[in-house]
Amino acid sequence: MTVMITMEELKKRLQERQCKLTPQRQIVLQVFIENHDEHLSAEEVHQILREQGSEIGLATVYRSLELLSDMDILQKIDFGDGRSRYEINKRDEKQHHHHHIICLECGNVKEFEEDLLENLEELISKKSNFNIVDHQVKFYGYCQECQKKREN
């Protein structure tokens, strides 16, 4: 289930956190709106912006991504490939975030919406007297295309 986020919603989230939506932040966020199913690195965001004719610098992209991540507008994710990736934080505070499946060959990342860990989380919470508010799961393996290539 893909949730579409609008610039107006993101602008409202920033205002709630007393943060301005500068032109640089707006064009960075627009990249995520237009690529809503992607998990983009700073370099990928910068490349997309350059292809669109933007003069924004890579350092500005990094600063914008870090600020937007710190404010929970974007979610920063580490898939173990040495680069932080980002996506719009679409979740409702009452819902867990989706999980990811990552291909070790091509690096393709897909979202997995099913939350199979609710019972385990409840058990851990009760046994440890720990208030769990979220969790993240990453599954690593080979996508269908890479499996075919590996068989040949």
Side-chain angles (χ1 to χ4, degrees), residues 42-55:
E43 293 83 4
E44 291 167 331
V45 171
H46 184 249
Q47 181 62 35
I48 290 167
L49 290 171
R50 299 293 289 182
E51 289 170 3
Q52 293 174 351
S54 173
E55 297 293 321

Side-chain angles (χ1 to χ4, degrees), residues 34-140:
E34 292 168 1
N35 298 276
H36 58 88
D37 288 334
E38 300 293 322
H39 303 82
L40 301 171
S41 68
E43 293 83 4
E44 291 167 331
V45 171
H46 184 249
Q47 181 62 35
I48 290 167
L49 290 171
R50 299 293 289 182
E51 289 170 3
Q52 293 174 351
S54 173
E55 297 293 321
I56 191 170
L58 183 56
T60 301
V61 171
Y62 271 108
R63 281 192 304 272
S64 297
L65 292 175
E66 284 302 311
L67 174 87
L68 294 166
S69 174
D70 289 345
M71 302 191 94
D72 285 331
I73 304 297
L74 296 179
Q75 183 174 17
K76 184 177 184 177
I77 308 165
D78 177 7
F79 292 131
D81 62 357
R83 296 192 324 187
S84 294
R85 300 193 182 267
Y86 300 84
E87 65 182 347
I88 291 178
N89 191 352
K90 303 173 229 174
R91 68 186 164 141
D92 180 327
E93 293 299 319
K94 299 174 203 103
Q95 293 179 327
H96 288 299
H97 194 271
H98 56 264
H99 306 304
H100 297 94
I101 52 178
I102 302 128
C103 181
L104 293 168
E105 186 76 27
C106 68
N108 190 18
V109 177
K110 292 191 178 182
E111 296 176 358
F112 182 74
E113 297 288 341
E114 192 76 26
D115 191 352
L116 305 172
L117 299 178
E118 285 184 30
N119 293 337
L120 178 61
E121 185 177 290
E122 191 175 313
L123 178 68
I124 291 169
S125 185
K126 282 181 183 174
K127 285 192 173 218
S128 65
N129 196 27
F130 190 80
N131 180 25
I132 299 171
V133 296
D134 199 6
H135 62 262
Q136 287 188 17
V137 176
K138 300 170 201 157
F139 296 96
Y140 296 90

